[in-house]
Amino acid sequence: MKSGGILKIDILTLFPEMFEGVFQESILKRAREKGLVEINFHNFREFSKDPHKKVDDTPYGGGGGMVLCCQPIFDCVKSLRTKESTVILLTPSGKKYTEQKAKELAGKKHLILICGHYEGFDERIRYLCDEEISIGDYVLTGGEIPSMVLVDSITRLLPGVIKEESYVQDSFYQNSLDFPTYTKPAVYEGYSVPEILLSGDHAKIKQWRKEMAEKKTQEIRPDLKGEEVWNDTIS
């Protein structure tokens, strides 16, 4: 993750208003106000050289839907890109997004996220990109929601945004799922908190959490096994 400096994120989108509520609430809002992350939105329609500001056209060879054109996106990226930039295309055909990738991207200095829309984008837009990322094996109407997912998951890992102890215990951070957690009351509608958590024996609680995390991972996501799933420095 970053050792210093602000992370700058530029998002290319046809619908910048979609982000207003998401990035003006809770942790993301505080991170921006504290100067820990800078997030900018760019409507690449403004870069279109078409008299009517068109950004899409029909595909060569026929087919349904409209395809995003090269020119507006190329020009928008060129206006933003520096030697420190990592350009990411949000697309269903990209590599599946993971917590490990979030940690990697949190160490970057400048991210440029391209949100696709309509039926797709001209294949040549891929030449602009350093990476292509998918948030899952399904198709959305555009790349705006995936870009929100990336920004949220990356920003929370930046130094000073939340306490480190809050995210090192999260699911996937150590290739495992999180251990079960409980709060007051100790009994609710017949469901009780495990006695070990009420014991005050922190060594035994730590061991129980380790065992529960491993058990949960094995039962629900055995594909995460194969690497160390518990950091003994966590208490």
Side-chain angles (χ1 to χ4, degrees):
M1 285 174 284
K2 292 171 70 63
S3 57
I6 184 172
L7 171 62
K8 182 179 180 181
I9 303 176
D10 287 300
I11 301 175
L12 278 61
T13 172
L14 292 173
F15 304 98
E17 61 277 4
M18 288 182 65
F19 297 86
E20 292 178 1
V22 176
F23 292 166
Q24 289 299 324
E25 300 291 341
S26 189
I27 292 172
L28 286 175
K29 178 183 180 181
R30 294 196 295 271
R32 297 177 77 184
E33 290 177 343
K34 291 167 67 175
L36 301 175
V37 63
E38 176 186 339
I39 306 173
N40 306 300
F41 309 101
H42 307 273
N43 189 335
F44 54 86
R45 188 181 299 279
E46 298 174 2
F47 287 80
S48 174
K49 295 179 180 179
D50 180 86
H52 304 291
K53 292 296 182 180
K54 283 184 60 179
V55 295
D56 59 349
D57 212 328
T58 54
Y60 282 122
M66 303 292 281
V67 177
L68 289 174
C69 301
C70 291
Q71 180 270 312
I73 294 177
F74 265 71
D75 287 357
C76 188
V77 170
K78 288 178 181 178
S79 74
L80 300 169
R81 193 171 206 163
T82 70
K83 292 181 179 179
E84 296 180 335
S85 303
T86 298
V87 182
I88 298 172
L89 182 64
L90 285 312
T91 170
S93 61
K95 290 185 178 179
K96 191 176 294 186
Y97 191 57
T98 66
E99 183 72 10
Q100 299 305 310
K101 175 55 69 173
K103 286 193 283 185
E104 177 187 327
L105 295 179
K108 303 290 186 180
K109 294 183 177 181
H110 182 209
L111 302 177
I112 299 175
L113 309 181
I114 303 176
C115 302
H117 219 80
Y118 305 125
E119 183 63 23
F121 47 83
D122 189 302
E123 187 72 11
R124 291 165 290 188
I125 291 172
R126 295 184 187 275
Y127 298 131
L128 284 172
C129 305
D130 299 301
E131 298 187 46
E132 298 178 25
I133 289 178
S134 166
I135 64 168
D137 295 339
Y138 47 86
V139 178
L140 300 173
T141 55
E144 283 75 20
I145 292 175
S147 72
M148 295 175 193
V149 170
L150 263 68
V151 172
D152 186 288
S153 60
I154 292 167
T155 299
R156 67 191 301 275
L157 298 177
L158 299 177
V161 175
I162 61 176
K163 294 180 180 179
E164 184 177 9
E165 64 187 43
S166 296
Y167 61 74
V168 296
Q169 296 180 3
D170 284 340
S171 292
F172 308 113
Y173 193 84
Q174 299 181 83
N175 297 306
S176 73
L177 301 183
D178 197 4
F179 52 77
T181 57
Y182 300 83
T183 188
K184 300 176 181 65
V187 180
Y188 184 75
E189 293 195 357
Y191 299 102
S192 301
V193 174
E195 287 294 328
I196 184 66
L197 298 179
L198 307 176
S199 69
D201 189 327
H202 295 291
K204 289 183 178 180
I205 290 173
K206 181 177 179 179
Q207 180 61 29
W208 179 87
R209 286 175 169 172
K210 176 181 179 180
E211 292 172 358
M212 291 301 102
E214 292 176 344
K215 179 181 178 182
K216 187 176 180 180
T217 302
Q218 184 60 41
E219 291 176 349
I220 301 175
R221 289 294 305 275
D223 56 297
L224 295 176
K225 299 289 283 184
E227 298 184 42
E228 179 59 43
V229 298
W230 187 263
N231 185 334
D232 285 336
T233 63
I234 294 176
S235 59

